[in-house]
Amino acid sequence: RFEPMAYLAGLARAVVRHGGTIVTDTRVESIEDGTPCEVTAGGATLTAGAVVVATNSPVNDRFALHTKQYPYM
C-alpha cells in the first residue's frame, strides 16, 4: 500500500539531509534559468543549482494552460 504523505515526508527529510532547502508559502515573482538559477520572491533573490516548481498550474506566461484546467479536488 502506498502512503503518499509518508513518502513526501521521507522525501523532504532526504532533501534537507543532502543540503537542500524547501521553501513554502512564498509567492514567486520570477524564475530565471541559468547557473545558478535565480528565484525572486518578496523582493529577495534566492539562488540555487536547481529549482522545482511543484504547482498544479504553470507559473510562466508562455501558454495559457491554466485557463484550460478544471479545478478538481
Side-chain angles (χ1 to χ4, degrees):
R1 188 167 116 187
F2 181 70
E3 297 286 343
M5 294 307 291
Y7 172 78
L8 289 175
L11 182 61
R13 283 191 303 273
V15 167
V16 172
R17 185 173 57 245
H18 288 281
T21 303
I22 298 173
V23 179
T24 62
D25 296 322
T26 303
R27 185 178 184 279
V28 172
E29 296 156 5
S30 70
I31 302 171
E32 298 295 326
D33 194 13
T35 307
C37 303
E38 291 186 354
V39 178
T40 304
T45 300
L46 173 84
T47 58
V51 175
V52 176
V53 179
T55 65
N56 185 45
S57 182
V59 295
N60 62 25
D61 294 325
R62 291 185 187 158
F63 305 105
L65 182 63
H66 63 280
T67 62
K68 298 175 179 86
Q69 292 179 317
Y70 293 98
Y72 295 117
M73 291 190 67

